[in-house]
């Protein structure tokens, strides 16, 4: 996790100094009920923390940390979009997965586009070079493309989605997720969500798998 911590610190410093205006900062804490038929345990619980920084200068930083209680693994990721010329800029990502003696670190550096932004929606595509290190052994560079986006359907109701694809040995491998979150009025700051995930060799699981996450969280 040392490399991930360093990448997070550098990205956070860059994001916080990218604009003279005060940035928008947000965060959530949550717990998920995960159902994955291809995992060693089909049902497990996740506890997580996520947050982000958005500046008027065109830099967005997002990161999260999750611990799977049932499978005893940890997963963390940070991404950054920083506009340089017009709506084009730099895209970067670092992630780390650990379970027992197994570890997988992923790094992407490339170009991003932030022009698909409007009233209540945003779609942010990227293209870059991806490297996957397994148990400390450096992997080869691969081509990676993808996007992340959201759409506000109603006040307090948000649809979100992301897709990643990579070219490995002339074969395209992809992963993605689509989900919806709704704020609750019973207790201020609370929300519920549901997500459907499709993965291919993500988070140390080989082969295709899909999973469902049911979430309860709190905005802070």
């Amino acid at each position: 996790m040392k490399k991930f911590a360093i990448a997070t610190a550098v990205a956070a410093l860059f994001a916080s100094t990218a604009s003279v205006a005060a940035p928008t900062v947000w965060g959530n804490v949550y717990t998920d009920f995960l159902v994955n038929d291809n995992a060693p345990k089909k049902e497990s619980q996740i506890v997580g923390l996520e947050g982000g920084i958005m500046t008027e200068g065109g830099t967005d930083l997002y990161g999260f940390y999750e611990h799977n209680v049932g499978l005893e693994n940890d997963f963390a990721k940070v991404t950054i979009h920083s506009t340089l010329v017009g709506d084009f800029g730099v895209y970067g990502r670092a992630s780390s997965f650990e379970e027992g003696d197994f570890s997988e670190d992923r790094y992407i550096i490339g170009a991003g586009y932030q022009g698909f932004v409007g009233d209540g929606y945003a779609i942010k595509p990227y293209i870059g070079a991806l490297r996957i290190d397994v148990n400390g052994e450096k992997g080869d560079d691969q081509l990676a493309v993808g996007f992340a986006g959201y759409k506000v359907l109603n006040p307090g109701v948000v649809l979100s989605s992301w897709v990643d694809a990579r070219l490995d040995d002339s074969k395209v491998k992809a992963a993605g997720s689509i989900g919806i979150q709704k704020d609750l009025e019973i207790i201020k700051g609370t929300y519920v969500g549901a997500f459907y995930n499709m993965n291919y060799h993500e988070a140390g699981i080989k082969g295709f798998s899909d999973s469902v996450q049911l979430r309860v969280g709190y905005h802070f």
Side-chain angles (χ1 to χ4, degrees), residues 14 18 57-60 81-90 112-115:
F14 181 43
T59 296
D60 290 352
H81 285 265
S82 187
T83 301
L84 296 179
V85 180
D87 294 319
F88 293 91
V90 174
Y113 181 73
Q114 299 199 70

Side-chain angles (χ1 to χ4, degrees), residues 10 42 50 68 109 113 134 138 147 149 167 178 204 219:
V10 172
K42 293 184 178 181
E50 65 175 349
N68 189 308
I109 184 68
Y113 181 73
V134 177
K138 292 184 178 180
F147 74 88
L167 185 62
I178 185 169
H219 304 298

